[in-house]
Amino acid sequence: QLQLQESGPGLVKPSETLSLTCTVSGGSISSTTYYWGWIRQPPGKGLEWIGSIYYSGSTYYGPSLKSRVTISVDTSKNQFSLKLSSVTATDTAVYYCARRIWSGYPFDNWGQGTLVTVSS
Amino acid sequence: EIVLTQSPGTLSLSPGERATLSCRASQSVFATYLAWYQQKPGQAPRLLIYGASSRATGIPDRFSGSGSGTDFTLTISRLEPEDFAVYYCQQYDSSPALTFGGGTKVEIK
């Protein structure tokens, strides 16, 4: 059974870069139809799609964060990563990684999420 | 970018009652690429419905989805205690920008 697990610092200082990794187990990140994504949820609020990556490295970013986001994939480690630069308190959220089995299907498998707090 | 508006914001119902949740899109959703998720406190969202009306694996048949174009509905025929949660719609149109609705909370009356 495919599982996803987010990891990274739970506390990031304002103006610094938030870095998270999603480790995929029980399956290959290199499947030719899978898309991998990051979604976040500020405390008490709704879901926001951050961006997605295909195993080949093609990336798609949401318009509101596009200028600050980089998503990459490391097939040798079966991982993909998120970097969000110049963070502020409004970037405090639970960050989820998730999988889509193909472009015409939604996120069907999610990590448990990790809370990242932006504070000095 | 397609904006999704969910209504109502909160639905207060009793177990056994029928729940009807609405999701309206700012423009037509390509090929009914519309999904519904359920989220309980402290948990990741769980996929319920994809393609506007197809149930995901393991989802009970009391959950059903309908709609096309810009208007979509999630119906829970008879609420079970475990169904009280927040529900989100999401469009995964062929355009790269995926969006979620703001959510509807189904609470116990």
Side-chain angles (χ1 to χ4, degrees), chain A residues 34-105:
Chain A
Y34 291 176
Y35 286 77
W36 307 94
W38 289 97
I39 302 99
R40 72 179 185 178
Q41 184 172 38
K45 296 189 178 181
L47 300 164
E48 179 182 22
W49 174 69
I50 300 170
S52 295
I53 189 165
Y54 189 47
Y55 86 101
S56 63
S58 299
T59 52
Y60 310 89
Y61 299 134
S64 63
L65 298 173
K66 188 173 185 177
S67 63
R68 299 193 289 131
V69 171
T70 302
I71 296 175
S72 59
V73 64
D74 186 338
T75 55
S76 67
K77 295 181 178 179
N78 231 34
Q79 295 176 335
F80 63 105
S81 299
L82 168 71
K83 291 188 186 299
L84 180 65
S85 64
S86 305
V87 297
T88 68
T90 59
D91 294 310
T92 294
V94 175
Y95 286 77
Y96 296 99
C97 59
R99 178 198 73 172
R100 297 171 66 190
I101 58 174
W102 67 289
S103 61
Y105 199 76

Side-chain angles (χ1 to χ4, degrees), chain A residues 41 49 63 96 104-107 111, chain B residues 1 37 39 43-44 88 92 96 98:
Chain A
Q41 184 172 38
W49 174 69
Y96 296 99
Y105 199 76
F107 293 109
Chain B
E1 176 178 305
Y37 298 86
Q39 187 179 35
Q43 296 184 16
Y88 294 95
Y92 51 102
L98 312 179

Side-chain angles (χ1 to χ4, degrees), chain B residues 8-81:
Chain B
T10 302
L11 201 50
S12 299
L13 295 168
S14 300
E17 290 194 295
R18 182 184 187 91
T20 303
L21 288 67
S22 173
C23 177
R24 177 161 291 178
S26 60
Q27 61 192 77
S28 187
V29 177
F30 175 80
T32 61
Y33 281 171
L34 192 286
W36 291 92
Y37 298 86
Q38 176 194 68
Q39 187 179 35
K40 296 180 181 179
Q43 296 184 16
R46 177 175 72 143
L47 178 65
L48 299 175
I49 301 288
Y50 65 94
S53 60
S54 298
R55 276 187 298 276
T57 302
I59 302 304
D61 61 7
R62 63 179 181 273
F63 291 93
S64 63
S66 62
S68 64
T70 61
D71 289 300
F72 300 88
T73 300
L74 173 70
T75 301
I76 310 171
S77 59
R78 296 172 309 280
L79 282 164
E80 297 288 341

Side-chain angles (χ1 to χ4, degrees), chain A residues 2-61:
Chain A
L2 190 85
Q3 291 188 315
L4 294 85
Q5 178 69 57
E6 305 88 351
S7 60
L11 181 64
V12 180
K13 290 182 168 56
S15 80
E16 295 189 343
T17 296
L18 179 160
S19 296
L20 295 174
T21 296
C22 182
T23 300
V24 178
S25 59
S28 173
I29 203 169
S30 300
S31 171
T32 56
T33 64
Y34 291 176
Y35 286 77
W36 307 94
W38 289 97
I39 302 99
R40 72 179 185 178
Q41 184 172 38
K45 296 189 178 181
L47 300 164
E48 179 182 22
W49 174 69
I50 300 170
S52 295
I53 189 165
Y54 189 47
Y55 86 101
S56 63
S58 299
T59 52
Y60 310 89
Y61 299 134

Side-chain angles (χ1 to χ4, degrees), chain B residues 90-107:
Chain B
Q90 182 212 6
Q91 65 80 20
Y92 51 102
D93 192 288
S94 57
S95 69
L98 312 179
T99 51
F100 291 91
T104 291
K105 181 180 182 180
V106 178
E107 65 176 22

